[in-house]
PDB file of all heavy atoms in Angstrom:
ATOM      1  N   GLU A 353      10.798  51.020  51.388  1.00 97.00           N
ATOM      2  CA  GLU A 353      11.608  51.857  52.271  1.00 97.00           C
ATOM      3  C   GLU A 353      11.604  53.314  51.811  1.00 97.00           C
ATOM      4  O   GLU A 353      11.438  54.243  52.609  1.00 97.00           O
ATOM      5  CB  GLU A 353      13.034  51.318  52.305  1.00 97.00           C
ATOM      6  CG  GLU A 353      13.992  52.129  53.166  1.00 97.00           C
ATOM      7  CD  GLU A 353      15.413  51.600  53.091  1.00 97.00           C
ATOM      8  OE1 GLU A 353      15.676  50.696  52.283  1.00 97.00           O
ATOM      9  OE2 GLU A 353      16.257  52.112  53.835  1.00 97.00           O
ATOM     10  N   GLN A 354      11.753  53.525  50.498  1.00 97.00           N
ATOM     11  CA  GLN A 354      11.764  54.881  49.965  1.00 97.00           C
ATOM     12  C   GLN A 354      10.399  55.553  50.102  1.00 97.00           C
ATOM     13  O   GLN A 354      10.292  56.699  50.537  1.00 97.00           O
ATOM     14  CB  GLN A 354      12.202  54.863  48.493  1.00 97.00           C
ATOM     15  CG  GLN A 354      13.638  54.424  48.263  1.00 97.00           C
ATOM     16  CD  GLN A 354      14.644  55.416  48.812  1.00 97.00           C
ATOM     17  OE1 GLN A 354      14.382  56.612  48.891  1.00 97.00           O
ATOM     18  NE2 GLN A 354      15.809  54.912  49.199  1.00 97.00           N
ATOM     19  N   TYR A 355       9.358  54.837  49.727  1.00 96.00           N
ATOM     20  CA  TYR A 355       8.016  55.420  49.728  1.00 96.00           C
ATOM     21  C   TYR A 355       7.564  55.722  51.156  1.00 96.00           C
ATOM     22  O   TYR A 355       7.004  56.798  51.429  1.00 96.00           O
ATOM     23  CB  TYR A 355       7.046  54.454  49.039  1.00 96.00           C
ATOM     24  CG  TYR A 355       5.647  54.987  48.878  1.00 96.00           C
ATOM     25  CD1 TYR A 355       5.377  56.012  47.973  1.00 96.00           C
ATOM     26  CD2 TYR A 355       4.585  54.473  49.620  1.00 96.00           C
ATOM     27  CE1 TYR A 355       4.084  56.506  47.812  1.00 96.00           C
ATOM     28  CE2 TYR A 355       3.297  54.950  49.462  1.00 96.00           C
ATOM     29  CZ  TYR A 355       3.057  55.974  48.553  1.00 96.00           C
ATOM     30  OH  TYR A 355       1.779  56.457  48.405  1.00 96.00           O
ATOM     31  N   ALA A 356       7.818  54.792  52.078  1.00 96.00           N
ATOM     32  CA  ALA A 356       7.444  55.023  53.474  1.00 96.00           C
ATOM     33  C   ALA A 356       8.217  56.185  54.069  1.00 96.00           C
ATOM     34  O   ALA A 356       7.756  56.819  55.035  1.00 96.00           O
ATOM     35  CB  ALA A 356       7.682  53.755  54.294  1.00 96.00           C
ATOM     36  N   GLY A 357       9.388  56.487  53.490  1.00 95.00           N
ATOM     37  CA  GLY A 357      10.188  57.612  53.950  1.00 95.00           C
ATOM     38  C   GLY A 357       9.837  58.930  53.288  1.00 95.00           C
ATOM     39  O   GLY A 357      10.550  59.922  53.482  1.00 95.00           O
ATOM     40  N   GLY A 358       8.764  58.959  52.491  1.00 94.00           N
ATOM     41  CA  GLY A 358       8.311  60.216  51.917  1.00 94.00           C
ATOM     42  C   GLY A 358       8.670  60.452  50.469  1.00 94.00           C
ATOM     43  O   GLY A 358       8.412  61.539  49.937  1.00 94.00           O
ATOM     44  N   ALA A 359       9.248  59.479  49.795  1.00 95.00           N
ATOM     45  CA  ALA A 359       9.654  59.673  48.404  1.00 95.00           C
ATOM     46  C   ALA A 359       8.480  59.453  47.450  1.00 95.00           C
ATOM     47  O   ALA A 359       7.565  58.670  47.729  1.00 95.00           O
ATOM     48  CB  ALA A 359      10.797  58.717  48.049  1.00 95.00           C
ATOM     49  N   THR A 360       8.521  60.140  46.323  1.00 95.00           N
ATOM     50  CA  THR A 360       7.533  59.972  45.257  1.00 95.00           C
ATOM     51  C   THR A 360       8.048  58.944  44.256  1.00 95.00           C
ATOM     52  O   THR A 360       9.218  58.980  43.849  1.00 95.00           O
ATOM     53  CB  THR A 360       7.273  61.306  44.539  1.00 95.00           C
ATOM     54  OG1 THR A 360       6.543  62.169  45.417  1.00 95.00           O
ATOM     55  CG2 THR A 360       6.467  61.116  43.270  1.00 95.00           C
ATOM     56  N   LEU A 361       7.160  58.018  43.867  1.00 97.00           N
ATOM     57  CA  LEU A 361       7.489  57.006  42.865  1.00 97.00           C
ATOM     58  C   LEU A 361       6.951  57.463  41.517  1.00 97.00           C
ATOM     59  O   LEU A 361       5.786  57.863  41.418  1.00 97.00           O
ATOM     60  CB  LEU A 361       6.870  55.660  43.237  1.00 97.00           C
ATOM     61  CG  LEU A 361       7.085  55.159  44.666  1.00 97.00           C
ATOM     62  CD1 LEU A 361       6.422  53.789  44.845  1.00 97.00           C
ATOM     63  CD2 LEU A 361       8.569  55.083  45.010  1.00 97.00           C
ATOM     64  N   VAL A 362       7.791  57.393  40.497  1.00 97.00           N
ATOM     65  CA  VAL A 362       7.390  57.786  39.149  1.00 97.00           C
ATOM     66  C   VAL A 362       7.512  56.566  38.246  1.00 97.00           C
ATOM     67  O   VAL A 362       8.624  56.142  37.907  1.00 97.00           O
ATOM     68  CB  VAL A 362       8.257  58.936  38.594  1.00 97.00           C
ATOM     69  CG1 VAL A 362       7.698  59.393  37.241  1.00 97.00           C
ATOM     70  CG2 VAL A 362       8.310  60.094  39.582  1.00 97.00           C
ATOM     71  N   LEU A 363       6.380  55.987  37.906  1.00 98.00           N
ATOM     72  CA  LEU A 363       6.350  54.854  36.975  1.00 98.00           C
ATOM     73  C   LEU A 363       6.303  55.414  35.557  1.00 98.00           C
ATOM     74  O   LEU A 363       5.341  56.094  35.179  1.00 98.00           O
ATOM     75  CB  LEU A 363       5.140  53.973  37.256  1.00 98.00           C
ATOM     76  CG  LEU A 363       5.243  53.122  38.515  1.00 98.00           C
ATOM     77  CD1 LEU A 363       3.873  52.662  38.976  1.00 98.00           C
ATOM     78  CD2 LEU A 363       6.163  51.937  38.291  1.00 98.00           C
ATOM     79  N   GLN A 364       7.341  55.144  34.780  1.00 97.00           N
ATOM     80  CA  GLN A 364       7.500  55.759  33.476  1.00 97.00           C
ATOM     81  C   GLN A 364       7.148  54.793  32.342  1.00 97.00           C
ATOM     82  O   GLN A 364       7.245  53.582  32.495  1.00 97.00           O
ATOM     83  CB  GLN A 364       8.948  56.237  33.294  1.00 97.00           C
ATOM     84  CG  GLN A 364       9.387  57.226  34.341  1.00 97.00           C
ATOM     85  CD  GLN A 364      10.694  57.901  33.984  1.00 97.00           C
ATOM     86  OE1 GLN A 364      10.802  59.112  34.051  1.00 97.00           O
ATOM     87  NE2 GLN A 364      11.691  57.140  33.636  1.00 97.00           N
ATOM     88  N   GLY A 365       6.768  55.370  31.212  1.00 97.00           N
ATOM     89  CA  GLY A 365       6.541  54.572  30.015  1.00 97.00           C
ATOM     90  C   GLY A 365       5.377  53.609  30.125  1.00 97.00           C
ATOM     91  O   GLY A 365       5.404  52.537  29.507  1.00 97.00           O
ATOM     92  N   LEU A 366       4.324  53.991  30.860  1.00 98.00           N
ATOM     93  CA  LEU A 366       3.188  53.088  31.024  1.00 98.00           C
ATOM     94  C   LEU A 366       2.425  52.873  29.717  1.00 98.00           C
ATOM     95  O   LEU A 366       1.677  51.905  29.591  1.00 98.00           O
ATOM     96  CB  LEU A 366       2.243  53.620  32.105  1.00 98.00           C
ATOM     97  CG  LEU A 366       2.811  53.607  33.526  1.00 98.00           C
ATOM     98  CD1 LEU A 366       1.844  54.284  34.487  1.00 98.00           C
ATOM     99  CD2 LEU A 366       3.100  52.187  33.994  1.00 98.00           C
ATOM    100  N   HIS A 367       2.628  53.756  28.753  1.00 96.00           N
ATOM    101  CA  HIS A 367       2.014  53.546  27.435  1.00 96.00           C
ATOM    102  C   HIS A 367       2.667  52.398  26.686  1.00 96.00           C
ATOM    103  O   HIS A 367       2.205  52.018  25.614  1.00 96.00           O
ATOM    104  CB  HIS A 367       2.126  54.837  26.601  1.00 96.00           C
ATOM    105  CG  HIS A 367       3.537  55.271  26.363  1.00 96.00           C
ATOM    106  ND1 HIS A 367       4.361  55.725  27.376  1.00 96.00           N
ATOM    107  CD2 HIS A 367       4.293  55.311  25.236  1.00 96.00           C
ATOM    108  CE1 HIS A 367       5.539  56.022  26.881  1.00 96.00           C
ATOM    109  NE2 HIS A 367       5.534  55.780  25.590  1.00 96.00           N
ATOM    110  N   ARG A 368       3.730  51.827  27.281  1.00 94.00           N
ATOM    111  CA  ARG A 368       4.387  50.657  26.697  1.00 94.00           C
ATOM    112  C   ARG A 368       4.238  49.414  27.569  1.00 94.00           C
ATOM    113  O   ARG A 368       4.506  48.305  27.107  1.00 94.00           O
ATOM    114  CB  ARG A 368       5.889  50.940  26.498  1.00 94.00           C
ATOM    115  CG  ARG A 368       6.192  52.001  25.480  1.00 94.00           C
ATOM    116  CD  ARG A 368       5.986  51.510  24.043  1.00 94.00           C
ATOM    117  NE  ARG A 368       6.960  50.481  23.702  1.00 94.00           N
ATOM    118  CZ  ARG A 368       6.662  49.286  23.200  1.00 94.00           C
ATOM    119  NH1 ARG A 368       5.409  48.968  22.985  1.00 94.00           N
ATOM    120  NH2 ARG A 368       7.600  48.418  22.917  1.00 94.00           N
ATOM    121  N   THR A 369       3.828  49.581  28.836  1.00 94.00           N
ATOM    122  CA  THR A 369       3.852  48.443  29.759  1.00 94.00           C
ATOM    123  C   THR A 369       2.496  48.076  30.347  1.00 94.00           C
ATOM    124  O   THR A 369       2.359  46.976  30.894  1.00 94.00           O
ATOM    125  CB  THR A 369       4.823  48.722  30.933  1.00 94.00           C
ATOM    126  OG1 THR A 369       4.369  49.888  31.651  1.00 94.00           O
ATOM    127  CG2 THR A 369       6.237  48.939  30.438  1.00 94.00           C
ATOM    128  N   TRP A 370       1.494  48.965  30.303  1.00 96.00           N
ATOM    129  CA  TRP A 370       0.216  48.658  30.953  1.00 96.00           C
ATOM    130  C   TRP A 370      -0.895  48.657  29.904  1.00 96.00           C
ATOM    131  O   TRP A 370      -1.137  49.659  29.241  1.00 96.00           O
ATOM    132  CB  TRP A 370      -0.089  49.659  32.061  1.00 96.00           C
ATOM    133  CG  TRP A 370      -1.138  49.138  32.982  1.00 96.00           C
ATOM    134  CD1 TRP A 370      -2.428  49.533  33.070  1.00 96.00           C
ATOM    135  CD2 TRP A 370      -0.977  48.066  33.938  1.00 96.00           C
ATOM    136  NE1 TRP A 370      -3.094  48.786  34.026  1.00 96.00           N
ATOM    137  CE2 TRP A 370      -2.229  47.887  34.570  1.00 96.00           C
ATOM    138  CE3 TRP A 370       0.097  47.252  34.318  1.00 96.00           C
ATOM    139  CZ2 TRP A 370      -2.429  46.928  35.561  1.00 96.00           C
ATOM    140  CZ3 TRP A 370      -0.106  46.302  35.295  1.00 96.00           C
ATOM    141  CH2 TRP A 370      -1.351  46.146  35.911  1.00 96.00           C
ATOM    142  N   PRO A 371      -1.597  47.517  29.727  1.00 95.00           N
ATOM    143  CA  PRO A 371      -2.522  47.367  28.599  1.00 95.00           C
ATOM    144  C   PRO A 371      -3.551  48.489  28.443  1.00 95.00           C
ATOM    145  O   PRO A 371      -3.748  49.006  27.348  1.00 95.00           O
ATOM    146  CB  PRO A 371      -3.192  46.021  28.878  1.00 95.00           C
ATOM    147  CG  PRO A 371      -2.154  45.246  29.625  1.00 95.00           C
ATOM    148  CD  PRO A 371      -1.454  46.253  30.498  1.00 95.00           C
ATOM    149  N   ALA A 372      -4.226  48.867  29.529  1.00 96.00           N
ATOM    150  CA  ALA A 372      -5.266  49.891  29.397  1.00 96.00           C
ATOM    151  C   ALA A 372      -4.686  51.211  28.926  1.00 96.00           C
ATOM    152  O   ALA A 372      -5.316  51.953  28.156  1.00 96.00           O
ATOM    153  CB  ALA A 372      -5.987  50.071  30.731  1.00 96.00           C
ATOM    154  N   LEU A 373      -3.473  51.519  29.360  1.00 97.00           N
ATOM    155  CA  LEU A 373      -2.852  52.779  28.971  1.00 97.00           C
ATOM    156  C   LEU A 373      -2.235  52.700  27.585  1.00 97.00           C
ATOM    157  O   LEU A 373      -2.103  53.729  26.900  1.00 97.00           O
ATOM    158  CB  LEU A 373      -1.815  53.197  30.013  1.00 97.00           C
ATOM    159  CG  LEU A 373      -2.434  53.658  31.330  1.00 97.00           C
ATOM    160  CD1 LEU A 373      -1.365  53.879  32.390  1.00 97.00           C
ATOM    161  CD2 LEU A 373      -3.247  54.939  31.135  1.00 97.00           C
ATOM    162  N   ILE A 374      -1.854  51.523  27.148  1.00 95.00           N
ATOM    163  CA  ILE A 374      -1.401  51.349  25.760  1.00 95.00           C
ATOM    164  C   ILE A 374      -2.530  51.761  24.815  1.00 95.00           C
ATOM    165  O   ILE A 374      -2.338  52.535  23.871  1.00 95.00           O
ATOM    166  CB  ILE A 374      -0.970  49.898  25.502  1.00 95.00           C
ATOM    167  CG1 ILE A 374       0.313  49.574  26.281  1.00 95.00           C
ATOM    168  CG2 ILE A 374      -0.760  49.649  24.011  1.00 95.00           C
ATOM    169  CD1 ILE A 374       0.704  48.103  26.232  1.00 95.00           C
ATOM    170  N   ASP A 375      -3.736  51.262  25.091  1.00 94.00           N
ATOM    171  CA  ASP A 375      -4.879  51.564  24.233  1.00 94.00           C
ATOM    172  C   ASP A 375      -5.308  53.023  24.362  1.00 94.00           C
ATOM    173  O   ASP A 375      -5.601  53.696  23.361  1.00 94.00           O
ATOM    174  CB  ASP A 375      -6.048  50.642  24.578  1.00 94.00           C
ATOM    175  CG  ASP A 375      -5.734  49.179  24.306  1.00 94.00           C
ATOM    176  OD1 ASP A 375      -4.822  48.902  23.505  1.00 94.00           O
ATOM    177  OD2 ASP A 375      -6.397  48.307  24.907  1.00 94.00           O
ATOM    178  N   PHE A 376      -5.352  53.523  25.583  1.00 96.00           N
ATOM    179  CA  PHE A 376      -5.781  54.907  25.807  1.00 96.00           C
ATOM    180  C   PHE A 376      -4.828  55.895  25.141  1.00 96.00           C
ATOM    181  O   PHE A 376      -5.273  56.853  24.478  1.00 96.00           O
ATOM    182  CB  PHE A 376      -5.863  55.178  27.308  1.00 96.00           C
ATOM    183  CG  PHE A 376      -6.210  56.590  27.653  1.00 96.00           C
ATOM    184  CD1 PHE A 376      -7.494  57.080  27.452  1.00 96.00           C
ATOM    185  CD2 PHE A 376      -5.252  57.444  28.184  1.00 96.00           C
ATOM    186  CE1 PHE A 376      -7.814  58.396  27.777  1.00 96.00           C
ATOM    187  CE2 PHE A 376      -5.564  58.755  28.504  1.00 96.00           C
ATOM    188  CZ  PHE A 376      -6.847  59.235  28.299  1.00 96.00           C
ATOM    189  N   ALA A 377      -3.536  55.677  25.282  1.00 95.00           N
ATOM    190  CA  ALA A 377      -2.563  56.588  24.683  1.00 95.00           C
ATOM    191  C   ALA A 377      -2.658  56.569  23.164  1.00 95.00           C
ATOM    192  O   ALA A 377      -2.514  57.609  22.502  1.00 95.00           O
ATOM    193  CB  ALA A 377      -1.153  56.224  25.140  1.00 95.00           C
ATOM    194  N   ARG A 378      -2.910  55.390  22.595  1.00 93.00           N
ATOM    195  CA  ARG A 378      -3.049  55.309  21.139  1.00 93.00           C
ATOM    196  C   ARG A 378      -4.267  56.104  20.667  1.00 93.00           C
ATOM    197  O   ARG A 378      -4.195  56.875  19.706  1.00 93.00           O
ATOM    198  CB  ARG A 378      -3.166  53.849  20.709  1.00 93.00           C
ATOM    199  CG  ARG A 378      -3.196  53.646  19.201  1.00 93.00           C
ATOM    200  CD  ARG A 378      -3.341  52.173  18.851  1.00 93.00           C
ATOM    201  NE  ARG A 378      -4.627  51.631  19.273  1.00 93.00           N
ATOM    202  CZ  ARG A 378      -4.773  50.732  20.249  1.00 93.00           C
ATOM    203  NH1 ARG A 378      -3.743  50.259  20.886  1.00 93.00           N
ATOM    204  NH2 ARG A 378      -5.988  50.285  20.574  1.00 93.00           N
ATOM    205  N   ASP A 379      -5.397  55.952  21.362  1.00 94.00           N
ATOM    206  CA  ASP A 379      -6.616  56.660  20.970  1.00 94.00           C
ATOM    207  C   ASP A 379      -6.474  58.167  21.168  1.00 94.00           C
ATOM    208  O   ASP A 379      -6.855  58.965  20.304  1.00 94.00           O
ATOM    209  CB  ASP A 379      -7.813  56.142  21.771  1.00 94.00           C
ATOM    210  CG  ASP A 379      -8.182  54.709  21.418  1.00 94.00           C
ATOM    211  OD1 ASP A 379      -7.662  54.199  20.408  1.00 94.00           O
ATOM    212  OD2 ASP A 379      -8.980  54.101  22.154  1.00 94.00           O
ATOM    213  N   LEU A 380      -5.932  58.575  22.313  1.00 95.00           N
ATOM    214  CA  LEU A 380      -5.771  60.004  22.568  1.00 95.00           C
ATOM    215  C   LEU A 380      -4.751  60.614  21.608  1.00 95.00           C
ATOM    216  O   LEU A 380      -4.923  61.748  21.144  1.00 95.00           O
ATOM    217  CB  LEU A 380      -5.338  60.233  24.021  1.00 95.00           C
ATOM    218  CG  LEU A 380      -5.185  61.683  24.466  1.00 95.00           C
ATOM    219  CD1 LEU A 380      -6.479  62.457  24.277  1.00 95.00           C
ATOM    220  CD2 LEU A 380      -4.713  61.756  25.917  1.00 95.00           C
ATOM    221  N   GLY A 381      -3.710  59.850  21.279  1.00 93.00           N
ATOM    222  CA  GLY A 381      -2.732  60.332  20.317  1.00 93.00           C
ATOM    223  C   GLY A 381      -3.343  60.589  18.958  1.00 93.00           C
ATOM    224  O   GLY A 381      -2.967  61.542  18.255  1.00 93.00           O
ATOM    225  N   LEU A 382      -4.307  59.746  18.564  1.00 90.00           N
ATOM    226  CA  LEU A 382      -4.997  59.974  17.297  1.00 90.00           C
ATOM    227  C   LEU A 382      -5.829  61.252  17.365  1.00 90.00           C
ATOM    228  O   LEU A 382      -5.843  62.053  16.431  1.00 90.00           O
ATOM    229  CB  LEU A 382      -5.897  58.791  16.961  1.00 90.00           C
ATOM    230  CG  LEU A 382      -6.797  58.986  15.729  1.00 90.00           C
ATOM    231  CD1 LEU A 382      -5.964  59.176  14.476  1.00 90.00           C
ATOM    232  CD2 LEU A 382      -7.750  57.814  15.555  1.00 90.00           C
ATOM    233  N   ALA A 383      -6.524  61.472  18.479  1.00 93.00           N
ATOM    234  CA  ALA A 383      -7.353  62.675  18.616  1.00 93.00           C
ATOM    235  C   ALA A 383      -6.510  63.942  18.528  1.00 93.00           C
ATOM    236  O   ALA A 383      -6.949  64.951  17.967  1.00 93.00           O
ATOM    237  CB  ALA A 383      -8.107  62.630  19.942  1.00 93.00           C
ATOM    238  N   LEU A 384      -5.308  63.890  19.066  1.00 93.00           N
ATOM    239  CA  LEU A 384      -4.444  65.065  19.087  1.00 93.00           C
ATOM    240  C   LEU A 384      -3.510  65.130  17.887  1.00 93.00           C
ATOM    241  O   LEU A 384      -2.914  66.177  17.618  1.00 93.00           O
ATOM    242  CB  LEU A 384      -3.604  65.070  20.375  1.00 93.00           C
ATOM    243  CG  LEU A 384      -4.386  65.116  21.684  1.00 93.00           C
ATOM    244  CD1 LEU A 384      -3.447  64.942  22.859  1.00 93.00           C
ATOM    245  CD2 LEU A 384      -5.157  66.426  21.817  1.00 93.00           C
ATOM    246  N   GLY A 385      -3.351  64.000  17.186  1.00 90.00           N
ATOM    247  CA  GLY A 385      -2.412  63.951  16.073  1.00 90.00           C
ATOM    248  C   GLY A 385      -0.973  64.010  16.522  1.00 90.00           C
ATOM    249  O   GLY A 385      -0.096  64.480  15.780  1.00 90.00           O
ATOM    250  N   GLN A 386      -0.687  63.553  17.745  1.00 91.00           N
ATOM    251  CA  GLN A 386       0.660  63.670  18.313  1.00 91.00           C
ATOM    252  C   GLN A 386       1.021  62.389  19.072  1.00 91.00           C
ATOM    253  O   GLN A 386       0.144  61.725  19.636  1.00 91.00           O
ATOM    254  CB  GLN A 386       0.739  64.843  19.301  1.00 91.00           C
ATOM    255  CG  GLN A 386       0.259  66.175  18.756  1.00 91.00           C
ATOM    256  CD  GLN A 386       1.166  66.761  17.699  1.00 91.00           C
ATOM    257  OE1 GLN A 386       2.294  66.319  17.525  1.00 91.00           O
ATOM    258  NE2 GLN A 386       0.677  67.754  16.969  1.00 91.00           N
ATOM    259  N   PRO A 387       2.311  62.050  19.139  1.00 91.00           N
ATOM    260  CA  PRO A 387       2.733  60.921  19.981  1.00 91.00           C
ATOM    261  C   PRO A 387       2.675  61.287  21.456  1.00 91.00           C
ATOM    262  O   PRO A 387       2.888  62.449  21.828  1.00 91.00           O
ATOM    263  CB  PRO A 387       4.180  60.667  19.526  1.00 91.00           C
ATOM    264  CG  PRO A 387       4.643  61.972  18.969  1.00 91.00           C
ATOM    265  CD  PRO A 387       3.431  62.631  18.380  1.00 91.00           C
ATOM    266  N   LEU A 388       2.391  60.281  22.293  1.00 94.00           N
ATOM    267  CA  LEU A 388       2.197  60.511  23.725  1.00 94.00           C
ATOM    268  C   LEU A 388       3.099  59.598  24.549  1.00 94.00           C
ATOM    269  O   LEU A 388       3.530  58.539  24.095  1.00 94.00           O
ATOM    270  CB  LEU A 388       0.749  60.233  24.130  1.00 94.00           C
ATOM    271  CG  LEU A 388      -0.372  60.939  23.367  1.00 94.00           C
ATOM    272  CD1 LEU A 388      -1.720  60.493  23.928  1.00 94.00           C
ATOM    273  CD2 LEU A 388      -0.236  62.434  23.446  1.00 94.00           C
ATOM    274  N   GLN A 389       3.328  60.013  25.780  1.00 96.00           N
ATOM    275  CA  GLN A 389       3.933  59.147  26.788  1.00 96.00           C
ATOM    276  C   GLN A 389       3.076  59.256  28.043  1.00 96.00           C
ATOM    277  O   GLN A 389       2.416  60.279  28.261  1.00 96.00           O
ATOM    278  CB  GLN A 389       5.368  59.582  27.101  1.00 96.00           C
ATOM    279  CG  GLN A 389       5.463  60.964  27.735  1.00 96.00           C
ATOM    280  CD  GLN A 389       6.890  61.403  27.981  1.00 96.00           C
ATOM    281  OE1 GLN A 389       7.706  61.367  27.071  1.00 96.00           O
ATOM    282  NE2 GLN A 389       7.177  61.823  29.204  1.00 96.00           N
ATOM    283  N   VAL A 390       3.078  58.211  28.871  1.00 98.00           N
ATOM    284  CA  VAL A 390       2.262  58.224  30.087  1.00 98.00           C
ATOM    285  C   VAL A 390       3.118  57.784  31.267  1.00 98.00           C
ATOM    286  O   VAL A 390       3.726  56.703  31.239  1.00 98.00           O
ATOM    287  CB  VAL A 390       1.033  57.293  29.965  1.00 98.00           C
ATOM    288  CG1 VAL A 390       0.175  57.404  31.228  1.00 98.00           C
ATOM    289  CG2 VAL A 390       0.205  57.638  28.735  1.00 98.00           C
ATOM    290  N   ASN A 391       3.157  58.633  32.293  1.00 98.00           N
ATOM    291  CA  ASN A 391       3.818  58.313  33.556  1.00 98.00           C
ATOM    292  C   ASN A 391       2.793  58.353  34.679  1.00 98.00           C
ATOM    293  O   ASN A 391       1.768  59.032  34.575  1.00 98.00           O
ATOM    294  CB  ASN A 391       4.930  59.321  33.880  1.00 98.00           C
ATOM    295  CG  ASN A 391       6.073  59.283  32.880  1.00 98.00           C
ATOM    296  OD1 ASN A 391       6.202  58.350  32.098  1.00 98.00           O
ATOM    297  ND2 ASN A 391       6.904  60.302  32.897  1.00 98.00           N
ATOM    298  N   ALA A 392       3.073  57.646  35.767  1.00 98.00           N
ATOM    299  CA  ALA A 392       2.243  57.710  36.972  1.00 98.00           C
ATOM    300  C   ALA A 392       3.093  58.215  38.127  1.00 98.00           C
ATOM    301  O   ALA A 392       4.269  57.838  38.266  1.00 98.00           O
ATOM    302  CB  ALA A 392       1.662  56.341  37.307  1.00 98.00           C
ATOM    303  N   TYR A 393       2.498  59.073  38.957  1.00 97.00           N
ATOM    304  CA  TYR A 393       3.182  59.653  40.117  1.00 97.00           C
ATOM    305  C   TYR A 393       2.447  59.230  41.379  1.00 97.00           C
ATOM    306  O   TYR A 393       1.255  59.525  41.542  1.00 97.00           O
ATOM    307  CB  TYR A 393       3.215  61.182  40.007  1.00 97.00           C
ATOM    308  CG  TYR A 393       4.093  61.690  38.889  1.00 97.00           C
ATOM    309  CD1 TYR A 393       3.680  61.615  37.570  1.00 97.00           C
ATOM    310  CD2 TYR A 393       5.355  62.228  39.150  1.00 97.00           C
ATOM    311  CE1 TYR A 393       4.490  62.066  36.534  1.00 97.00           C
ATOM    312  CE2 TYR A 393       6.174  62.680  38.121  1.00 97.00           C
ATOM    313  CZ  TYR A 393       5.727  62.596  36.816  1.00 97.00           C
ATOM    314  OH  TYR A 393       6.537  63.039  35.793  1.00 97.00           O
ATOM    315  N   LEU A 394       3.153  58.541  42.259  1.00 97.00           N
ATOM    316  CA  LEU A 394       2.601  58.094  43.533  1.00 97.00           C
ATOM    317  C   LEU A 394       3.329  58.834  44.648  1.00 97.00           C
ATOM    318  O   LEU A 394       4.536  58.665  44.835  1.00 97.00           O
ATOM    319  CB  LEU A 394       2.777  56.585  43.704  1.00 97.00           C
ATOM    320  CG  LEU A 394       2.081  55.725  42.646  1.00 97.00           C
ATOM    321  CD1 LEU A 394       3.105  55.100  41.710  1.00 97.00           C
ATOM    322  CD2 LEU A 394       1.252  54.640  43.309  1.00 97.00           C
ATOM    323  N   THR A 395       2.592  59.659  45.381  1.00 96.00           N
ATOM    324  CA  THR A 395       3.192  60.527  46.391  1.00 96.00           C
ATOM    325  C   THR A 395       2.574  60.234  47.756  1.00 96.00           C
ATOM    326  O   THR A 395       1.347  60.206  47.885  1.00 96.00           O
ATOM    327  CB  THR A 395       2.964  62.013  46.031  1.00 96.00           C
ATOM    328  OG1 THR A 395       3.437  62.243  44.702  1.00 96.00           O
ATOM    329  CG2 THR A 395       3.707  62.918  46.983  1.00 96.00           C
ATOM    330  N   PRO A 396       3.405  60.037  48.789  1.00 96.00           N
ATOM    331  CA  PRO A 396       2.866  59.793  50.137  1.00 96.00           C
ATOM    332  C   PRO A 396       2.150  61.028  50.682  1.00 96.00           C
ATOM    333  O   PRO A 396       2.339  62.140  50.187  1.00 96.00           O
ATOM    334  CB  PRO A 396       4.119  59.476  50.959  1.00 96.00           C
ATOM    335  CG  PRO A 396       5.195  59.189  49.973  1.00 96.00           C
ATOM    336  CD  PRO A 396       4.870  59.977  48.754  1.00 96.00           C
ATOM    337  N   PRO A 397       1.320  60.853  51.721  1.00 95.00           N
ATOM    338  CA  PRO A 397       0.570  61.982  52.281  1.00 95.00           C
ATOM    339  C   PRO A 397       1.473  63.151  52.654  1.00 95.00           C
ATOM    340  O   PRO A 397       2.541  62.970  53.260  1.00 95.00           O
ATOM    341  CB  PRO A 397      -0.094  61.386  53.529  1.00 95.00           C
ATOM    342  CG  PRO A 397      -0.179  59.925  53.253  1.00 95.00           C
ATOM    343  CD  PRO A 397       1.031  59.597  52.434  1.00 95.00           C
TER     344      PRO A 397
END
């Protein structure tokens, strides 16, 4: 209902909940020497 009405969905903390992003965030964090967080933004047209 929200998304069809034009709202943006923000999936937060994907570095803790989605396997591919858990691994990617760990590797990128090593390259940068910093802790990371990953969110996804889904926006209607």
